Amino acid sequence: MPRYLSLVRIDESTAPAGGPSAELMQRMGELIEEMTKAGVLLDTSGLTPAEQAVRVSWDGERTSVTDGPFTESKEVVGGYAFMHCKDRAEALEWTRRFLSIHGPEWTIACELREIVEY
């Protein structure tokens, strides 16, 4: 069965100041439990804000380190879900369900990518 990574993209400038509400966290917990029991969810988590991130770059000769926040970005990766699904359609359905538990105060998108097996 293929594995998929769903990258949760958010606009930090429009996200609710207090973060997810207790109600959203409850709905998220219920979905995570369902996905875990179904054997789909391998790992998931939210990420710290972009201002706390560090970017390490390679220019062909050396690495450089840049502390966040980075140049203005509308979207940042705010979390992820690592899933083991029978196919892309199943991974899409779980991703849709994750997005649909969020209220109108959230503007989020998920980028779903299959993990290459070598």
Side-chain angles (χ1 to χ4, degrees):
M1 284 193 350
R3 295 178 299 158
Y4 294 87
L5 181 63
S6 181
L7 299 169
V8 182
R9 298 190 175 273
I10 64 169
D11 180 344
E12 289 181 322
S13 69
T14 63
S21 66
E23 294 82 12
L24 174 56
M25 292 306 293
Q26 179 179 343
R27 290 190 304 268
M28 202 172 301
E30 291 167 358
L31 181 61
I32 287 169
E33 182 178 344
E34 182 181 351
M35 292 175 74
T36 301
K37 285 181 180 177
V40 171
L41 189 62
L42 301 174
D43 190 26
T44 188
S45 190
L47 302 174
T48 58
E51 67 185 24
Q52 297 174 21
V54 176
R55 181 174 293 152
V56 182
S57 303
W58 172 254
D59 68 6
E61 295 180 15
R62 62 187 156 294
T63 60
S64 61
V65 177
T66 306
D67 291 329
F70 310 112
T71 54
E72 189 171 329
S73 175
K74 290 280 281 169
E75 292 181 339
V76 299
V77 177
Y80 68 92
F82 185 38
M83 300 179 288
H84 196 199
C85 300
K86 65 182 176 202
D87 55 26
R88 183 174 182 260
E90 182 183 21
L92 276 170
E93 182 56 29
W94 286 113
T95 300
R96 283 187 182 112
R97 288 188 60 195
F98 169 78
L99 289 172
S100 70
I101 65 172
H102 291 75
E105 68 277 14
W106 289 91
T107 302
I108 61 173
C110 288
E111 179 180 331
L112 183 64
R113 300 181 67 178
E114 186 173 346
I115 296 172
V116 176
E117 302 290 342
Y118 291 103

